[in-house]
Amino acid sequence: MSAGRPLTKSERKKYNRAEHERKIRQDLIARHGNDLGTFYYWLRIMNIRGTQAYHRGDAAFIRDVALALENVYRRHAG
C-alpha cells in the first residue's frame, strides 16, 4: 500500500521486481558472506542490465557498475 491507496499495476510490477532483486541479493550474501555476496550480486547486475545498457549505448551505467565491482575486488585483493 502506498499513500493509503492500492498500488497500480505498474507500481506493483516495479515493487515486485525490487523485492525479487532484494531477495536474490540477500541470498547471495547469506551464502557467500557480505563482500563476496555483494560482488556476485554486482556481477549479476552487470550481466543482465549491462548488456541492455550496452545495446542502448549507455556507457555511464556500465562505468558505474564496473567501478562498484572494482571497489569490492580491491577490498579483497588488498
Side-chain angles (χ1 to χ4, degrees), residues 17-37:
R17 186 177 296 133
E19 283 296 306
H20 178 71
E21 289 294 323
R22 185 184 59 78
K23 287 178 185 176
I24 288 172
R25 184 176 189 170
Q26 286 178 342
D27 181 49
L28 287 170
I29 289 173
R31 272 196 271 161
H32 302 289
N34 191 36
D35 285 338
L36 191 56

Side-chain angles (χ1 to χ4, degrees), residues 30-50:
R31 272 196 271 161
H32 302 289
N34 191 36
D35 285 338
L36 191 56
T38 301
F39 183 75
Y40 285 154
Y41 178 74
W42 278 108
L43 278 176
R44 181 179 182 279
I45 294 296
M46 183 64 172
N47 187 34
I48 295 168
R49 301 221 176 96

Side-chain angles (χ1 to χ4, degrees), residues 1 6-18:
M1 296 283 244
L7 297 175
T8 64
K9 186 176 180 179
S10 64
E11 289 171 336
R12 173 58 72 188
K13 192 173 184 178
K14 286 180 185 177
Y15 174 79
N16 287 342
R17 186 177 296 133

